[in-house]
């Protein structure tokens, strides 16, 4: 059920109780968790924290703590599964769920007490009526037994009448079942994301009058991550950014700290779709950013020459473009944004600008929201493989702290390596013609032993690669239907067990980032009777045995045809 009064039914209800926080291992989850932690301190609410990456880890965390704790708060996990059934929870256990994954499981929505959803109902999510999905069979069985027990009248006529009634009831039940299956399919056929959990948590902090600029920045980072990862469309991003802009103005006027060294300043301004350009060289940022690489086809010799032509037209000498942005001449730095904007139409870079926020404190520390996202991504998914998720989660929390600038700077260096690896992988895929058309979709397979192949066993980096690969394929392909084809990308997952990870993303022509591929994935796996691991909370990912991958693609192509 939905919690209507968050302050009374969630915040004040948990005061004085011990709770268990289960947080999904993603950027939005980290930001939402940090906001919630600040709110829990005000009421001295004790909590234990666990980091999870899939259903199995949720279940393990629950089993280990269900005897000691009766109240579980799940952030960015648990909403898309029947959590009480999945965990076989006792009736005295209560789950509070804040999850941006969609669609929300209907059993969670219609739960009377045990499951409480913190996010409100959405108008665009057409939730089927309770009576259309759930049916009490005991009433009809009881009425049949009563009619059979009552005696009197002609037994033959009575049997005939009972037979007709049973036929009608079976027919009604069949029609009801067909309608139920249709409604369930329509409701659950797409997997997508709603408003970031961190934004929802910040709105709650604002209503409690416990918000500040640091909490606002966490909400901004979560929204930016959703945009960069392709989880939401431009319309949704614009609506949310305007709301956060209003909060930014309000908090800026509210503050009384005018000291440059201690005050925190968040500025709304137009930014460029260039990866980490304030912390890199202009030439490298232009080359390794997905937006410019696709528009200028920088993996080709002609495209590589275009960068130098662009820099020349901007009046930016190679010596300046090849040194750190902060070390460039002050005048060139000031003119960089405007110069690039003037040449945008000539070089097919019309949409290179986007609305964003800049965080500034002290004299030297200036970070764009996208810079923080790339830094967090590098910490979570490009750290040494011997690091535990809990350790990386805490390191990501440090990255969001103003006092740990070194952590952020180190993470940005790793983020640059991610950008280079993505570009070189796409360049290799295009040059070697490894993006294969399989009729109704295209696919790309990352082989074991490829450049930094282990990096792509992580979900978010694989998602960035999939976007890059598909856009590059469409820009280079002569196939007229290229923009209408979805992409499936596969990467090695567990070499010891011989499994690989598969991700499906929608076609470039789709305005909505809703992913439909899970239903065909499931049907193709059933058809070929292969073992598939669907442990991931985002159901556009699956894991299967590498030896079954070719047969799986054949079954999927036959199914979609």
């Amino acid at each position: 059920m939905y919690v209507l009064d968050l302050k009374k039914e969630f915040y004040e209800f948990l005061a004085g109780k011990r709770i268990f926080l289960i947080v999904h291992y993603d950027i939005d989850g980290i930001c939402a968790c940090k906001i919630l932690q600040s709110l829990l301190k005000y009421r001295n609410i004790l909590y234990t924290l666990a980091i999870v990456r899939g259903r199995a880890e949720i279940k393990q965390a629950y089993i280990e703590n269900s005897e000691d704790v009766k109240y579980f708060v799940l952030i960015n996990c648990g909403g898309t599964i029947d959590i009480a059934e999945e965990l076989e929870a006792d009736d005295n256990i209560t789950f509070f769920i804040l999850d941006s994954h969609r669609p929300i499981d209907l059993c969670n929505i219609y739960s009377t007490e045990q499951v409480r959803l913190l996010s409100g109902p959405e108008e665009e999510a057409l939730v089927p009526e309770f009576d259309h999905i759930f049916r009490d069979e005991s009433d009809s069985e009881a009425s049949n037994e009563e009619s059979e027990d009552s005696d009197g009248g002609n037994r033959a006529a009575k049997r005939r009448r009972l037979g007709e009634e049973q036929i009608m009831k079976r027919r009604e039940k069949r029609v009801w079942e067909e309608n139920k299956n249709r409604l369930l399919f329509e409701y659950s056929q797409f997997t997508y994301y709603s408003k970031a959990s961190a934004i929802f948590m910040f709105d709650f902090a604002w209503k409690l009058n416990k918000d500040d600029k640091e909490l606002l920045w966490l909400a901004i980072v979560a929204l930016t991550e959703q945009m960069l990862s392709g989880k939401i469309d431009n319309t949704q991003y614009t609506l949310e950014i305007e709301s956060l802009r209003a909060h930014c103005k309000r908090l800026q006027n509210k503050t009384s700290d005018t000291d440059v060294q201690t005050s925190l300043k968040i500025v709304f301004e137009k930014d460029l779709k260039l990866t980490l350009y304030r912390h890199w060289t202009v030439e490298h940022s232009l080359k390794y950013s997905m937006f410019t690489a696709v528009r200028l086809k920088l993996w080709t010799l002609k495209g590589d020459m275009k960068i130098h032509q662009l820099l020349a037209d901007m009046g930016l000498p190679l010596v300046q473009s090849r040194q750190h942005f902060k070390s460039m001449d002050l005048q060139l730095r000031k003119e960089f944004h405007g110069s690039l904007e003037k040449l945008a139409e000539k070089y097919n870079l019309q949409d290179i600008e986007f609305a964003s926020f800049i965080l500034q404190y002290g004299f030297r520390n200036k970070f764009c929201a996208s810079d923080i996202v790339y830094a967090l991504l590098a910490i979570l998914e490009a750290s040494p493989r011997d690091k535990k998720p809990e350790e990386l989660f805490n390191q990501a929390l440090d990255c969001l702290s103003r006092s740990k600038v070194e952590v952020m700077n180190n993470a940005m260096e790793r983020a640059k390596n991610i950008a280079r690896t993505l570009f070189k992988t796409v360049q290799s895929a295009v040059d070697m013609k490894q993006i294969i058309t399989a009729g109704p979709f295209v696919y790309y397979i990352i082989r074991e032993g490829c450049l930094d192949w282990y990096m792509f066993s992580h979900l978010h980096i694989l998602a960035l690669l999939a976007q890059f690969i598909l856009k590059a394929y469409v820009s280079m392909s002569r196939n007229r239907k290229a923009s209408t084809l979805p992409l499936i990308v596969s990467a090695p997952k567990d070499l010891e067990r011989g499994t690989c990870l598969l991700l499906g993303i929608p076609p470039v022509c789709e305005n909505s980032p809703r992913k439909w591929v899970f239903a065909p994935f499931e049907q193709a796996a059933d058809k070929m009777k292969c073992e598939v691991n669907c442990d991931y909370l985002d159901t556009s990912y699956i894991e299967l045995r590498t030896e079954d991958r070719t047969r799986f693609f054949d079954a999927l192509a036959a199914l979609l045809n």
Side-chain angles (χ1 to χ4, degrees):
M1 69 175 185
Y2 291 109
V3 175
L4 301 177
D5 187 345
L6 281 175
K7 183 179 179 182
K8 184 179 179 182
E9 299 176 33
F10 170 64
Y11 192 55
E12 292 180 354
F13 175 81
L14 291 177
K17 299 180 175 71
R18 185 183 170 189
I19 64 171
F20 192 86
L21 275 179
I22 301 179
V23 183
H24 188 225
Y25 188 75
D26 65 4
I27 292 172
D28 181 28
I30 290 170
C31 294
C33 175
K34 197 169 174 68
I35 297 172
L36 180 59
Q37 284 175 325
S38 71
L39 296 179
L40 295 177
K41 286 178 184 177
Y42 285 104
R43 300 302 298 265
N44 296 318
I45 299 174
L46 297 175
Y47 64 89
T48 309
L49 177 65
I51 314 304
V52 298
R53 290 175 291 184
R55 298 185 186 189
E57 291 182 2
I58 296 174
K59 195 164 189 175
Q60 182 182 352
Y62 170 78
I63 291 171
E64 291 174 356
N65 296 275
S66 58
E67 292 184 5
D68 303 322
V69 184
K70 300 305 175 188
Y71 300 98
F72 289 78
V73 179
L74 289 80
I75 297 179
N76 269 7
C77 57
T80 57
I81 57 176
D82 182 357
I83 191 72
E85 180 71 24
E86 183 87 9
L87 303 182
E88 299 173 359
D90 295 335
D91 293 339
N92 61 343
I93 301 290
T94 304
F95 298 97
F96 293 91
I97 298 177
L98 176 60
D99 196 353
S100 62
H101 296 92
R102 293 293 182 273
I104 296 291
D105 190 274
L106 292 173
C107 292
N108 293 336
I109 293 175
Y110 288 117
S111 171
T112 53
E113 284 293 331
Q114 197 164 13
V115 181
R116 305 180 187 185
L117 301 172
L118 302 182
S119 56
E122 300 158 7
E123 292 181 6
E124 64 272 17
L126 301 175
V127 179
E129 295 290 335
F130 179 85
D131 294 336
H132 294 164
I133 302 299
F134 302 98
R135 183 175 179 175
D136 190 0
E137 298 291 342
S138 59
D139 294 340
S140 59
E141 289 174 5
S143 62
N144 285 342
E145 289 173 4
E146 285 175 11
S147 57
E148 285 172 8
D149 291 342
S150 59
D151 196 15
N154 190 329
R155 288 185 176 273
K158 189 173 181 181
R159 286 197 197 96
R160 192 163 53 250
R161 189 173 68 253
L162 286 173
E164 291 172 356
E165 287 177 0
Q166 287 174 354
I167 291 171
M168 289 297 293
K169 284 177 180 175
R170 280 199 293 267
R171 185 181 298 166
E172 286 175 10
K173 185 178 180 181
R174 187 175 68 250
V175 171
W176 183 87
E177 288 282 355
E178 290 173 356
N179 185 54
K180 171 191 171 182
N181 293 334
R182 179 181 60 80
L183 290 172
L184 283 175
F185 176 77
E186 290 174 357
Y187 177 71
S188 61
Q189 63 178 320
F190 296 109
T191 175
Y192 61 102
Y193 289 82
S194 69
K195 178 190 286 192
S197 297
I199 295 178
F200 187 90
M201 197 54 71
F202 172 78
D203 286 340
F204 180 50
W206 167 52
K207 289 170 184 174
L208 292 173
N209 199 26
K210 290 177 169 50
D211 61 323
D212 56 35
K213 283 186 280 188
E214 293 196 7
L215 299 188
L216 173 62
W217 181 245
L218 295 172
I220 290 168
V221 169
L223 176 64
T224 307
E225 186 271 332
Q226 282 194 320
M227 186 270 292
L228 292 176
S229 301
K231 294 177 179 177
I232 57 174
D233 56 28
N234 288 331
T235 304
Q236 194 174 347
Y237 176 76
T238 304
L239 290 172
E240 296 294 350
I241 209 83
E242 285 300 321
S243 172
L244 294 176
R245 184 183 182 184
H247 284 296
C248 183
K249 283 183 179 178
R250 176 179 59 82
L251 290 170
Q252 201 67 45
N253 295 331
K254 185 180 175 181
T255 185
S256 59
D257 189 358
T258 55
D259 189 336
V260 177
Q261 288 185 294
T262 59
S263 67
L264 187 72
K265 190 177 181 182
I266 301 175
V267 182
F268 176 82
E269 63 179 50
K270 295 284 185 181
D271 199 35
L272 300 171
K273 294 178 181 176
L274 297 179
T275 307
L276 299 168
Y277 75 91
R278 290 184 181 84
H279 312 277
W280 212 352
T281 68
V282 168
E283 187 181 30
H284 280 148
S285 184
L286 282 168
K287 182 172 182 179
Y288 296 125
S289 298
M290 186 191 307
F291 182 84
T292 48
V294 171
R295 292 295 181 92
L296 301 177
K297 300 176 185 175
L298 296 180
W299 47 82
T300 64
L301 188 60
K302 188 177 178 181
D304 199 38
M305 291 171 63
K306 271 189 180 179
I307 278 197
H308 298 98
Q309 189 180 340
L310 173 61
L311 292 171
D313 285 350
M314 290 171 64
L316 196 61
L318 278 179
V319 176
Q320 293 287 330
S321 66
R322 286 176 177 172
Q323 62 183 338
H324 202 283
F325 187 79
K326 290 178 181 177
S327 304
M328 285 169 54
D329 289 347
L330 181 61
Q331 191 62 30
L332 291 173
R333 267 188 289 160
K334 287 181 177 178
E335 295 174 354
F336 176 69
H337 198 295
S339 301
L340 194 55
E341 187 183 353
K342 287 176 185 175
L343 295 166
E345 190 172 349
K346 179 181 177 181
Y347 287 91
N348 190 29
L349 301 172
Q350 292 91 336
D351 304 323
I352 196 167
E353 285 188 325
F354 73 104
S356 187
F357 291 91
I358 306 293
L359 176 74
Q360 193 166 358
Y361 54 93
F363 293 103
R364 300 176 60 186
N365 299 312
K366 188 176 182 179
F367 301 101
C368 176
S370 58
D371 297 340
I372 308 297
V373 170
Y374 288 123
L376 289 170
L377 186 66
I379 289 172
L380 295 177
E381 300 197 343
S383 295
R385 284 184 280 178
D386 58 342
K387 299 277 187 180
K388 293 181 179 179
E390 293 79 10
E391 187 179 346
L392 297 176
F393 188 91
N394 289 325
Q395 198 174 332
L397 289 174
D398 288 341
C399 183
L400 290 166
S401 173
R402 279 194 285 168
S403 59
K404 303 289 179 70
V405 181
E406 311 86 23
V407 175
M408 191 180 299
N409 290 331
N410 291 336
M412 284 182 184
E413 291 304 314
R414 269 180 275 166
K416 293 173 188 177
N417 290 331
I418 293 176
R420 289 191 194 97
T421 303
L422 288 172
F423 177 83
K424 290 175 181 177
T425 304
V426 172
Q427 185 178 35
S428 173
V430 173
D431 288 346
M432 304 292 288
K433 293 182 169 53
Q434 294 173 329
I435 307 169
I436 311 298
T437 306
F441 62 90
V442 292
Y443 67 88
Y444 171 68
I445 298 174
I446 300 163
R447 304 289 180 184
E448 178 193 342
C450 290
L451 177 69
D452 292 332
W453 60 268
Y454 57 86
M455 189 184 288
F456 300 113
S457 63
H458 296 95
L459 306 189
H460 294 92
I461 294 181
L462 186 64
L464 288 177
L465 177 69
Q467 286 185 58
F468 206 156
I469 287 278
L470 186 56
K471 289 175 181 177
Y473 169 76
V474 172
S475 71
M476 297 293 289
S477 178
R478 295 179 182 176
N479 184 356
R480 292 180 180 178
K481 295 182 178 179
S483 62
T484 65
L485 298 176
L487 169 74
I488 297 171
V489 63
S490 172
K493 179 61 180 174
D494 190 327
L495 298 182
E496 292 182 2
R497 294 191 296 121
T499 61
C500 63
L501 186 65
L502 262 67
L503 163 67
I505 64 169
V508 169
C509 67
E510 290 284 342
N511 294 324
S512 171
R514 296 186 175 211
K515 302 168 188 172
W516 53 266
V517 291
F518 176 65
F521 273 4
E522 202 173 33
Q523 292 171 26
D526 289 341
K527 186 176 180 181
M528 56 178 287
K529 294 180 174 58
C530 70
E531 185 181 346
V532 174
N533 179 11
C534 303
D535 185 60
Y536 302 101
L537 300 174
D538 184 338
T539 53
S540 55
Y541 296 90
I542 64 165
E543 188 178 339
L544 79 161
R545 295 189 65 81
T546 307
E547 61 190 29
D548 293 333
R549 182 169 53 200
T550 303
R551 292 192 303 119
F552 180 83
F553 282 150
D554 291 340
L556 190 62
L559 183 70
L560 295 177
N561 271 327

